[in-house]
Amino acid sequence: MAELTEPTDLSGLAGLVAEVLQIPASEVTEETGTATTAAWTSLRHVQIVSCVERAYGIRLTAREARRCRSVGALRAALTAKREAL
């Protein structure tokens, strides 16, 4: 998996989420998440968070990870982490 550097790049984040969920990236939107996508299970959530942390070089707290229940929430968390650096 390539190193991602721009948290606002939805295409990169969408590709990562799609890869973990094993769905086409074209199906991933800001709203894709636990409430809208059956493939986004609790196990996949942990895998998504882990992949996002590795790809973007950040660490999410347990609370932040629990709040990241959609692609939009993930992107917002990534943006906040980058701005805090």
Side-chain angles (χ1 to χ4, degrees), residues 7-24:
T8 58
D9 177 15
L10 180 59
S11 63
L13 184 57
L16 186 148
V17 170
E19 183 178 327
V20 173
L21 297 180
Q22 299 177 347
I23 62 175

Side-chain angles (χ1 to χ4, degrees):
M1 190 176 309
E3 178 75 18
L4 304 173
T5 57
E6 183 55 51
T8 58
D9 177 15
L10 180 59
S11 63
L13 184 57
L16 186 148
V17 170
E19 183 178 327
V20 173
L21 297 180
Q22 299 177 347
I23 62 175
S26 61
E27 292 181 15
V28 177
T29 67
E30 289 281 299
E31 292 77 32
T32 300
T34 58
T36 62
T37 308
W40 194 316
T41 63
S42 57
L43 175 59
R44 296 283 189 212
H45 182 77
V46 171
Q47 292 171 327
I48 289 167
V49 169
S50 177
C51 286
V52 165
E53 287 178 331
R54 277 194 315 266
Y56 287 96
I58 54 102
R59 296 290 295 165
L60 296 172
T61 66
R63 176 177 281 156
E64 289 168 333
R66 283 191 303 273
R67 290 181 179 165
C68 291
R69 300 176 63 110
S70 70
V71 172
L74 275 168
R75 191 159 53 84
L78 287 169
T79 300
K81 286 288 187 179
R82 290 294 176 149
E83 288 173 357
L85 293 178

